[in-house]
Amino acid sequence: MITALGGGVGAAKFLEGLSSVIESEPLNVIVNTGDDICLNGLYISPDVDTIIYRLSGVIDKKKGWGLEGDTFNSLKALERFGLHTWFNIGDKDIATHIYRTHLRAKGFSATEITSKIAEAFELPSNLKIIPMTDRDVETWIQTSEGEMHFQEYLVKRRMKPEVCRVTIRNIDHASPSPGVIDSIEKARAIIVCPSNPIISIGPILQVKGVREALKATQAEIIAISPLVGGVPLKGPADRLMKGLGLEVSSAQVARLYSDFIDTMVIDVEDAHENQAIKDMGLKTLVVDTVMSDKKKSAILASSILELI
Ligand code: FO1
């Protein structure tokens, strides 16, 4: 069994390649839920949905999130009622959020709901998507213009306000969901996807017992930097790292994980950081990490599997 930790567009792309090269070996994906938001009464779990949509082949490839060929008529119609319309929920995508909200009202947990959604999208049976916790947690960003939900910062405010602090609300009460610790303890390898270290991987590491389990596991742990040439290909990793007073580099990403990973994978454009990462006592792999298509993410996944 291989276990992956991730969230967002970069993780989904990498997992698409990984799932194509592992054949039928079980792959458990522990997914960030800090990006979750309740808008207009609907519960949305963007990272979980992005990974399910990508792995079941229905993702909007151009955007990297949402469903291929979706339209936005219902969103437009909501304007009449003065509801939130800044978060682009498509007409087909909304069905997933209605289903999640319906199941929550019936008392199902995030883990149960995620597995039902994955089943409905006919995810291959060796792939298991596990939300990091069944607790409701939310990532909030303190900025120069006040505190706001991460999605508001990312989508509504287009990452414009300056970041001062990141808080994962309710994380102190978050226990790992069933299967999380087991997936870490029993894996032959664990891959930290090329996801934002602050708001995608960071929340997973803050769930009670997860970091300790990663330190204790016998599994080989390999992390992939989401930075290429010192910048993220998508998203606010650089702004968040800078805002928290961290150097924006793959070496810094490695430093954030150095207490539990064995190997750091960095892009060829960041090869000059190789020695600094080795000096932390880590192994390194310097390869092309830009996943411009499924073939390239499969090549990246294969080169990582060769390390195991
Ligand atoms: N990202 C955007 O940049 N703009 C959007 O309007 C948007 C809507 C959206 C709806 C459903 C969903 O599952 C994801 C959506 N995303 C959108 C992506 C999401 O905000 C981010 O990719 C992740 O939360 C970052 O990890």
Side-chain angles (χ1 to χ4, degrees):
M1 174 180 69
I2 293 175
T3 294
L5 271 57
V9 175
K13 276 187 176 180
F14 173 74
L15 292 167
E16 182 181 42
L18 181 63
S19 66
S20 74
V21 295
I22 57 167
E23 293 169 6
S24 56
E25 181 170 2
L27 169 62
N28 289 2
V29 187
I30 301 168
V31 183
N32 168 48
T33 55
D35 288 14
D36 290 14
I37 189 165
C38 180
L39 274 180
N40 306 327
L42 291 180
Y43 285 90
I44 305 156
S45 194
D47 284 0
V48 164
D49 292 348
T50 298
I51 290 172
I52 293 176
Y53 292 172
R54 173 71 71 165
L55 293 179
S56 57
V58 293
I59 194 99
D60 179 329
K61 287 205 176 76
K62 206 162 161 218
K63 292 207 289 273
W65 48 268
L67 288 160
E68 192 175 16
D70 217 346
T71 48
F72 294 86
N73 297 310
S74 55
L75 193 76
K76 185 95 191 91
L78 287 174
E79 274 175 15
R80 178 191 301 278
F81 306 112
L83 293 179
H84 295 289
T85 54
W86 52 268
F87 199 63
N88 294 288
I89 302 291
D91 296 327
K92 290 195 283 182
D93 187 28
I94 204 169
T96 305
H97 315 311
I98 291 172
Y99 184 50
R100 174 177 288 113
T101 307
H102 169 73
L103 291 175
R104 278 177 63 102
K106 286 183 147 194
F108 285 93
S109 69
T111 305
E112 291 163 335
I113 296 169
T114 301
S115 114
K116 281 174 180 288
I117 294 173
E119 199 186 325
F121 278 95
E122 297 173 3
L123 213 70
S125 60
N126 63 313
L127 307 180
K128 197 166 167 199
I129 312 302
I130 310 171
M132 63 185 196
T133 178
D134 281 335
R135 272 271 178 171
D136 288 336
V137 293
E138 278 187 359
T139 300
W140 280 68
I141 314 288
Q142 255 166 286
T143 76
S144 50
E145 296 170 35
E147 199 178 14
M148 59 192 80
H149 189 286
F150 169 68
Q151 297 296 352
E152 184 173 350
Y153 164 76
L154 179 77
V155 179
K156 190 175 181 187
R157 306 300 314 279
R158 294 173 194 276
M159 309 183 279
K160 295 242 163 69
E162 232 167 86
V163 176
C164 318
R165 225 182 129 201
V166 176
T167 317
I168 321 296
R169 289 191 179 173
N170 223 8
I171 198 76
D172 291 346
H173 306 286
S175 302
S177 59
V180 166
I181 301 297
D182 224 43
S183 302
I184 294 172
E185 285 174 349
K186 301 211 172 110
R188 73 178 175 103
I190 297 173
I191 302 175
V192 181
C193 292
S195 297
N196 188 314
I198 310 298
I199 52 90
S200 297
I201 304 300
I204 303 177
L205 298 177
Q206 286 184 54
V207 173
K208 215 172 286 161
V210 167
R211 195 167 201 128
E212 290 70 21
L214 287 165
K215 284 190 202 174
T217 184
Q218 295 298 306
E220 179 81 13
I221 309 187
I222 299 152
I224 310 158
S225 172
L227 305 179
V228 175
V231 288
L233 293 177
K234 197 174 164 70
D238 51 346
R239 289 162 206 254
L240 292 167
M241 290 175 83
K242 210 179 289 166
L244 300 185
L246 300 171
E247 177 189 288
V248 184
S249 68
S250 289
Q252 179 62 61
V253 177
R255 212 167 284 126
L256 293 172
Y257 303 154
S258 61
D259 56 326
F260 66 88
I261 65 167
D262 301 294
T263 304
M264 188 75 200
V265 181
I266 61 170
D267 190 78
V268 282
E269 279 199 39
D270 298 313
H272 58 279
E273 297 188 50
N274 195 21
Q275 194 54 49
I277 299 171
K278 281 187 167 164
D279 291 346
M280 294 172 208
L282 300 173
K283 292 177 269 182
T284 57
L285 176 69
V286 185
V287 284
D288 179 3
T289 63
V290 181
M291 299 172 288
S292 36
D293 56 33
K294 189 173 169 178
K295 200 171 156 207
K296 283 194 76 183
S297 37
I299 292 170
L300 175 61
S302 297
S303 59
I304 287 168
L305 289 181
E306 276 170 25
L307 297 174
I308 302 163

